[in-house]
Coordinates of all heavy atoms in Angstrom, one line a residue:
V4 N -15.4 10.7 -17.6 CA -15.5 9.4 -17.0 C -14.1 8.7 -17.1 O -13.7 8.1 -16.1 CB -16.6 8.6 -17.6 CG1 -16.6 7.1 -17.1 CG2 -18.0 9.2 -17.4
A5 N -13.5 8.7 -18.3 CA -12.3 8.1 -18.5 C -11.2 8.7 -17.6 O -10.3 8.0 -17.1 CB -11.9 8.2 -20.0
I6 N -11.2 10.0 -17.5 CA -10.2 10.7 -16.7 C -10.4 10.3 -15.2 O -9.4 10.0 -14.5 CB -10.3 12.2 -16.8 CG1 -9.9 12.7 -18.2 CG2 -9.5 12.9 -15.8 CD1 -10.1 14.1 -18.5
F7 N -11.7 10.2 -14.8 CA -11.9 9.8 -13.4 C -11.5 8.4 -13.1 O -10.8 8.1 -12.1 CB -13.4 9.9 -13.1 CG -13.8 9.4 -11.8 CD1 -13.6 10.2 -10.6 CD2 -14.5 8.1 -11.7 CE1 -13.9 9.7 -9.4 CE2 -14.8 7.7 -10.4 CZ -14.6 8.4 -9.3
V8 N -11.8 7.4 -14.1 CA -11.3 6.1 -13.9 C -9.8 6.0 -13.9 O -9.2 5.3 -13.1 CB -11.9 5.2 -15.0 CG1 -11.3 3.8 -15.0 CG2 -13.4 5.1 -14.9
F9 N -9.1 6.7 -14.7 CA -7.7 6.7 -14.8 C -7.1 7.2 -13.5 O -6.1 6.6 -12.9 CB -7.2 7.6 -16.0 CG -5.7 7.8 -16.0 CD1 -4.9 6.7 -16.4 CD2 -5.1 8.9 -15.6 CE1 -3.5 6.9 -16.5 CE2 -3.7 9.1 -15.6 CZ -2.9 8.1 -16.1
L10 N -7.7 8.3 -13.0 CA -7.1 8.9 -11.7 C -7.4 7.9 -10.6 O -6.5 7.7 -9.7 CB -7.8 10.2 -11.4 CG -7.4 11.4 -12.3 CD1 -8.2 12.6 -12.0 CD2 -5.9 11.7 -12.2
L11 N -8.5 7.2 -10.6 CA -8.9 6.2 -9.5 C -7.9 5.1 -9.6 O -7.4 4.6 -8.6 CB -10.3 5.8 -9.8 CG -10.9 5.0 -8.6 CD1 -11.0 5.8 -7.4 CD2 -12.3 4.5 -9.0
L12 N -7.6 4.6 -10.8 CA -6.6 3.5 -11.0 C -5.2 3.9 -10.5 O -4.5 3.1 -9.9 CB -6.5 3.1 -12.4 CG -7.8 2.3 -12.9 CD1 -7.6 2.0 -14.4 CD2 -7.9 1.0 -12.2
C13 N -4.8 5.1 -10.8 CA -3.5 5.7 -10.3 C -3.5 5.7 -8.8 O -2.5 5.4 -8.2 CB -3.2 7.1 -10.9 SG -2.9 7.1 -12.7
L14 N -4.5 6.2 -8.2 CA -4.6 6.2 -6.7 C -4.6 4.8 -6.2 O -3.8 4.6 -5.1 CB -5.9 6.9 -6.4 CG -6.1 7.2 -4.8 CD1 -5.1 8.1 -4.3 CD2 -7.6 7.7 -4.6
W15 N -5.3 3.9 -6.8 CA -5.2 2.5 -6.3 C -3.9 1.9 -6.4 O -3.3 1.3 -5.5 CB -6.3 1.7 -7.1 CG -6.4 0.3 -6.5 CD1 -7.3 -0.2 -5.6 CD2 -5.5 -0.9 -7.0 NE1 -7.0 -1.6 -5.4 CE2 -6.0 -2.0 -6.2 CE3 -4.5 -1.0 -7.9 CZ2 -5.4 -3.2 -6.4 CZ3 -3.9 -2.3 -8.0 CH2 -4.4 -3.4 -7.3
A16 N -3.2 2.2 -7.5 CA -1.9 1.6 -7.8 C -0.9 2.2 -6.8 O 0.0 1.4 -6.2 CB -1.5 1.9 -9.2
G17 N -1.0 3.5 -6.5 CA 0.0 4.1 -5.6 C -0.2 3.5 -4.2 O 0.8 3.2 -3.5
G18 N -1.5 3.4 -3.8 CA -1.8 2.8 -2.4 C -1.3 1.4 -2.4 O -0.8 0.9 -1.4
F19 N -1.5 0.6 -3.4 CA -1.2 -0.8 -3.4 C 0.3 -1.0 -3.4 O 0.9 -1.9 -2.6 CB -1.7 -1.5 -4.7 CG -1.3 -2.9 -4.9 CD1 -1.8 -3.9 -4.1 CD2 -0.4 -3.3 -5.9 CE1 -1.5 -5.2 -4.2 CE2 0.0 -4.6 -6.0 CZ -0.5 -5.6 -5.2
L20 N 1.1 -0.2 -4.1 CA 2.5 -0.3 -4.0 C 3.1 0.1 -2.7 O 4.1 -0.5 -2.2 CB 3.2 0.6 -5.1 CG 2.9 0.1 -6.6 CD1 3.5 1.1 -7.6 CD2 3.6 -1.3 -6.8
S21 N 2.5 1.1 -2.1 CA 2.9 1.5 -0.7 C 2.6 0.3 0.3 O 3.4 0.0 1.2 CB 2.2 2.7 -0.3 OG 2.4 3.1 1.1
Y22 N 1.4 -0.3 0.1 CA 1.1 -1.4 0.9 C 2.1 -2.6 0.8 O 2.5 -3.2 1.8 CB -0.4 -1.8 0.5 CG -0.9 -3.2 1.0 CD1 -1.4 -3.3 2.3 CD2 -0.8 -4.3 0.2 CE1 -1.9 -4.5 2.8 CE2 -1.3 -5.5 0.7 CZ -1.8 -5.6 2.0 OH -2.3 -6.8 2.4
M23 N 2.4 -2.9 -0.5 CA 3.3 -4.0 -0.7 C 4.7 -3.7 -0.1 O 5.4 -4.6 0.4 CB 3.4 -4.3 -2.2 CG 2.2 -4.9 -2.8 SD 1.6 -6.4 -1.9 CE 2.9 -7.5 -2.1
A24 N 5.1 -2.5 -0.1 CA 6.4 -2.1 0.5 C 6.3 -2.3 2.0 O 7.3 -2.7 2.6 CB 6.8 -0.7 0.1
Q25 N 5.2 -1.9 2.6 CA 5.0 -2.1 4.0 C 5.0 -3.5 4.4 O 5.7 -3.9 5.4 CB 3.7 -1.5 4.4 CG 3.3 -1.6 5.9 CD 1.9 -1.2 6.2 OE1 1.2 -0.5 5.4 NE2 1.5 -1.4 7.4
V26 N 4.3 -4.4 3.7 CA 4.3 -5.8 4.2 C 5.5 -6.6 3.8 O 5.7 -7.7 4.3 CB 3.0 -6.5 3.5 CG1 1.8 -5.8 3.8 CG2 3.2 -6.6 2.0
G27 N 6.4 -6.0 3.1 CA 7.7 -6.6 2.8 C 8.7 -6.4 3.8 O 9.8 -7.0 3.8
N28 N 8.5 -5.5 4.8 CA 9.4 -5.3 5.8 C 9.6 -6.5 6.8 O 8.5 -7.1 7.1 CB 9.0 -4.0 6.7 CG 9.1 -2.8 5.8 OD1 10.0 -2.7 4.9 ND2 8.3 -1.8 6.1
P29 N 10.7 -6.8 7.3 CA 10.9 -7.9 8.3 C 10.3 -7.5 9.6 O 10.1 -6.3 9.9 CB 12.4 -8.1 8.4 CG 13.0 -6.7 8.1 CD 12.0 -6.2 7.0
P30 N 9.8 -8.5 10.4 CA 9.3 -8.2 11.7 C 10.3 -7.6 12.6 O 11.5 -7.9 12.6 CB 8.9 -9.6 12.2 CG 9.7 -10.5 11.5 CD 10.0 -9.9 10.2
E31 N 9.8 -6.6 13.5 CA 10.7 -5.9 14.4 C 10.8 -6.8 15.6 O 9.9 -7.6 16.0 CB 10.1 -4.6 14.8 CG 10.0 -3.6 13.7 CD 9.5 -2.2 14.2 OE1 9.3 -2.1 15.4 OE2 9.3 -1.3 13.3
E32 N 11.9 -6.7 16.3 CA 12.2 -7.5 17.6 C 11.2 -7.0 18.6 O 11.1 -5.8 18.9 CB 13.6 -7.4 18.0 CG 13.9 -8.3 19.2 CD 15.4 -8.1 19.6 OE1 16.1 -7.4 18.9 OE2 15.7 -8.8 20.6
I33 N 10.5 -7.9 19.3 CA 9.6 -7.5 20.4 C 10.4 -7.6 21.7 O 10.8 -8.7 22.1 CB 8.4 -8.5 20.5 CG1 7.7 -8.4 19.1 CG2 7.5 -8.1 21.6 CD1 6.5 -9.3 19.0
T34 N 10.6 -6.5 22.4 CA 11.4 -6.5 23.6 C 10.5 -6.3 24.8 O 10.9 -6.4 26.0 CB 12.4 -5.3 23.6 OG1 11.8 -4.1 23.3 CG2 13.4 -5.6 22.5
T35 N 9.2 -5.9 24.6 CA 8.3 -5.7 25.6 C 7.8 -7.1 26.2 O 7.6 -8.0 25.4 CB 7.0 -4.9 25.1 OG1 7.5 -3.7 24.7 CG2 6.0 -4.7 26.3
E36 N 7.5 -7.2 27.5 CA 7.0 -8.4 28.1 C 5.5 -8.6 27.6 O 4.7 -7.7 27.8 CB 7.0 -8.3 29.6 CG 6.6 -9.6 30.3 CD 6.7 -9.5 31.8 OE1 7.4 -8.6 32.3 OE2 6.1 -10.4 32.5

């Protein structure tokens, strides 16, 4: 159970850090009408 919880937390942390890197990007210029 402890191993499962640890792996789940690692998976969550990895996804969360990837998410924060994504939302930290500046907006792209919109050239489409």
Side-chain angles (χ1 to χ4, degrees):
V4 174
I6 293 174
F7 174 77
V8 171
F9 174 75
L10 292 175
L11 194 63
L12 287 173
C13 289
L14 183 64
W15 184 92
F19 176 69
L20 291 175
S21 176
Y22 167 82
M23 291 307 299
Q25 176 186 352
V26 301
N28 294 329
E31 296 182 4
E32 182 180 359
I33 300 175
T34 57
T35 302
E36 183 176 349

